[in-house]
Amino acid sequence: MVPSQEDPAAERETNEAQPPGPAPSDDAPLPGPGPSDASDVAAEKVEVELRRSTGNEPPVPPEGGWGWLVMLAAMWCNGSVFGIQNAYGVLFVSMLDTFRAKDDENMAFKTAWVGSLSMGMIFFCCPIVSVFTDVFGCRRTAVVGAAVGFVGLMSSSFVSSIEPLYLTYGIIFACGCSFAYQPSLVILGHYFKKRLGLVNGIVTAGSSVFTILLPLLLGNLLSSVGLSNTLRVLCIFMFVLFLAGFTYRPLVPSAKEKESGGSRSSFFSRRKLSPPKKIFNFSLFKETAYAVWAAGIPLALFGYFVPYVHLMNHVKKRFQDVNNKEVLFMCIGVTSGVGRLLFGRIADYLPGVKKVYLQVLSFFFIGLMSMMIPLCSAFGALIAVCLIMGLFDGCFISIMAPIAFELVGPQDASQAIGFLLGFMSIPMTVGPPIAGLLHDKLGSYDVAFYLAGIPPFIGGVVLCLIPWIHRKKQRKGSKNTGGEKTERMLDKQRSLLPGSSGIFKKDSDSII
């Protein structure tokens, strides 16, 4: 357990572990900006005590302290990354007007690929980001990622045609966002366990808040200063994200710090320069429950994003006399934020992998609402459908990281989340184009929305297997442990029998 800061013995031990002297080297995980010297001292005390844990047991999360500042930084990360991505529809219209060529009939298709490539690359890079997170730590990975994202977004503001945006916005900016985003999920597990569901709910709610506000901000900026200057204003969000990354004080040392021993004396040591033993930890898939989870989530997402991409075009055709159609996405954003807070807190009261049942529930309602969209003959009914869909969208997202920590533990959570997000990039990219192809062939979105509701149902059924698999493994483990204990007790009893190993004298019953 982590001793309280009021414990004099703990304070003496901490002072011994942290003697006064010059500032630590860059490899040490403690230096970084803080609100005050007192906050730095408190954070250092917590981290030193956690690092004193022996064996393979992970350190005990402090459940607060510096972690609250980390939570706010991660919230800004989720908001800025996915707020900008979700508001691409506003930028899309401006890009069409800015770069449109009179003889180019495929301009909408070309422009749509900029946003699609950007969103897909964020998740596609996550397995690679997880390796960087394990080797270099959350803080370094997040800071470098935010800097790359800043460069990509700033360079996007100087282009004069749509093609360079594939590189600057679709790849460089998106890869930077990926490197900044994935460590924000991992670092929370360093500081929280009992409150991890609530904290993840608050953090992921940041994207809902930004999704509601950014379209309004971008609409005003685009009409007043134009596309290029609007992209430069968005660079401010990435610069703040760059600063926020410095708050990710790692309580679990990275692979590079483990090899070097975390000391200045080993800076030029041979072990310091040796490569990590595991780059991609594929042994995670030997954990059957995680393998099923990593297969069920992408399977459900083949229809998950279809409404988000094609809903506006469907409404444009079905409800031509309705103004302010964008209110549907605002409804999804508002209730998604509520769902992340609500279900994130509920997840804290569900023990172990039973949290998976919340994702099963969310997929059931998301699939059902997708099938309900073509049946809505009134715009008010469609608003109700979007409200429910947003609520369970928040449920699905907020408990993703807590489930990963339950299945593989905090040491392997980084790559577990990274692999999953990488798998998610495939259905995110494939599902909406298939729905668009069905619309082109059939002339309406009805069949596309009906079919979009099927994969969430199938994915939910697959996820229901996880608690059963986990219980079966626990029973097997407890049975093996019980057998070993029984064997040890029998060995002890045999050793106490007369004539065995000198425990008893042969001519008396007295113990030596």
Side-chain angles (χ1 to χ4, degrees), residues 97-426:
D97 296 336
T98 304
F99 303 121
R100 183 185 297 276
K102 294 182 179 180
D103 56 346
D104 194 345
E105 298 179 354
N106 298 322
M107 195 63 197
F109 174 78
K110 291 181 178 180
T111 308
W113 266 108
V114 176
S116 178
L117 180 63
S118 179
M119 181 64 84
M121 285 297 297
I122 289 179
F123 292 99
F124 182 77
C125 291
C126 280
I128 301 174
V129 178
S130 65
V131 175
F132 279 83
T133 303
D134 284 344
V135 175
F136 298 103
C138 293
R139 181 167 58 186
R140 293 179 179 178
T141 305
V143 169
V144 172
V148 172
F150 178 89
V151 171
L153 196 58
M154 179 62 73
S155 58
S156 298
S157 67
F158 292 99
V159 302
S160 57
S161 62
I162 198 67
E163 286 78 12
L165 288 177
Y166 296 147
L167 174 64
T168 59
Y169 192 97
I171 296 179
I172 299 177
F173 171 62
C175 289
C177 288
S178 183
F179 274 74
Y181 165 67
Q182 206 253 357
S184 73
L185 299 180
V186 177
I187 193 65
L188 298 175
H190 292 207
Y191 286 89
F192 300 94
K193 183 176 181 180
K194 295 179 180 179
R195 299 171 176 170
L196 187 58
L198 174 63
V199 169
N200 271 277
I202 296 174
V203 168
T204 54
S207 62
S208 297
V209 175
F210 278 61
T211 300
I212 296 170
L213 299 179
L214 266 180
L216 302 176
L217 174 64
L218 293 178
N220 292 327
L221 287 174
L222 290 170
S223 60
S224 58
V225 298
L227 177 63
S228 298
N229 289 324
T230 298
L231 294 175
R232 291 163 192 161
V233 171
L234 289 179
C235 290
I236 298 175
F237 289 81
M238 301 306 297
F239 180 73
V240 176
L241 180 58
F242 171 80
L243 299 178
F246 285 100
T247 65
Y248 295 171
R249 297 181 184 274
L251 300 186
V252 177
S254 63
K256 200 166 186 178
E257 290 162 352
K258 289 178 182 177
E259 291 178 0
S260 66
S263 62
R264 182 186 293 269
S265 61
S266 62
F267 186 82
F268 294 102
S269 67
R270 189 173 182 178
R271 287 187 306 160
K272 171 76 174 181
L273 302 176
S274 62
K277 295 181 180 179
K278 291 183 179 180
I279 299 297
F280 291 103
N281 187 12
F282 293 111
S283 62
L284 287 172
F285 296 96
K286 295 180 180 179
E287 181 69 38
T288 308
Y290 172 75
V292 173
W293 189 56
I297 296 294
L299 182 61
L301 293 183
F302 273 100
Y304 181 83
F305 284 101
V306 170
Y308 291 83
V309 175
H310 297 285
L311 181 60
M312 289 306 298
N313 201 26
H314 169 75
V315 173
K316 182 180 179 181
K317 293 185 175 182
R318 183 68 62 89
F319 305 98
Q320 298 180 1
D321 57 340
V322 175
N323 296 323
N324 299 324
K325 301 178 179 65
E326 296 80 6
V327 72
L328 295 175
F329 285 109
M330 294 184 65
C331 292
I332 293 177
V334 170
T335 53
S336 179
V338 173
R340 297 175 196 213
L341 295 173
L342 175 63
F343 289 101
R345 186 57 177 166
I346 293 174
D348 290 333
Y349 294 99
L350 292 179
V353 296
K354 289 186 177 180
K355 296 177 178 67
V356 171
Y357 288 128
L358 288 179
Q359 284 193 325
V360 174
L361 183 68
S362 67
F363 283 140
F364 173 80
F365 276 96
I366 289 171
L368 181 62
M369 293 302 106
S370 296
M371 293 181 171
M372 291 282 293
I373 291 175
L375 301 178
C376 294
S377 58
F379 190 73
L382 195 56
I383 289 179
V385 166
C386 290
L387 289 172
I388 298 174
M389 182 179 293
L391 183 68
F392 288 96
D393 166 81
C395 173
F396 157 66
I397 293 175
S398 65
I399 59 176
M400 188 179 299
I403 292 175
F405 277 90
E406 292 287 350
L407 293 177
V408 302
Q411 298 289 346
D412 296 322
S414 173
Q415 291 210 29
I417 296 173
F419 282 131
L420 178 65
L421 296 178
F423 294 153
M424 287 168 54
S425 67
I426 299 174

Side-chain angles (χ1 to χ4, degrees), residues 59-72:
V60 179
E63 299 293 341
W66 185 265
W68 296 119
L69 185 60
V70 173
M71 182 196 73
L72 293 177

